[in-house]
Amino acid sequence: MSENPADIIADQLRRSGETGTVYHSPAQRERLRAAGRQAGRQLGRPVRTFDTAARHPRCDTDQCGTVHIVLADWGTNPLERQLTQTRANKAIDRELGA
């Protein structure tokens, strides 16, 4: 797999429609958001980036948080809807011990 952040993010978006990454500086946050937008362009799909500036447990600085990148149109095709439903059902089954 490529070391290009946009390629890695695009792969994660293709698989699940979303991804999140911890950042440790404002500059890193902006690079992650830019890579997320680039990943959306690679996929030909709209993305939204969100910044949760709340301190992450792995951070040792006040300038960290998590960037979430999501496909804005995830679930608009039947295969993505089925994938999401199947994952949700499996998660519930695991919790209930089924």
Side-chain angles (χ1 to χ4, degrees):
M1 176 175 275
S2 169
E3 293 298 319
N4 178 357
D7 293 341
I8 295 167
I9 291 169
D11 185 57
Q12 292 171 342
L13 292 174
R14 195 178 296 110
R15 293 170 187 260
S16 66
E18 63 183 313
T19 187
T21 304
V22 174
Y23 65 85
H24 299 279
S25 71
Q28 188 179 28
R29 177 190 64 221
E30 293 310 313
R31 285 192 302 271
L32 286 167
R33 294 182 74 194
R37 291 188 295 273
Q38 182 181 358
R41 288 190 296 274
Q42 288 176 6
L43 297 174
R45 298 181 69 177
V47 297
R48 298 284 312 263
T49 64
F50 303 92
D51 174 17
T52 59
R55 187 171 175 151
H56 189 277
R58 293 186 315 190
C59 291
D60 58 358
T61 176
D62 291 333
Q63 298 183 20
C64 62
T66 304
V67 168
H68 295 277
I69 304 161
V70 299
L71 289 174
D73 65 350
W74 177 262
T76 57
N77 78 49
L79 292 175
E80 290 174 349
R81 281 194 300 277
Q82 180 63 41
L83 178 62
T84 300
Q85 186 64 44
T86 299
R87 286 179 176 161
N89 288 341
K90 285 182 179 183
I92 291 168
D93 289 346
R94 274 192 308 271
E95 290 299 315
L96 296 176

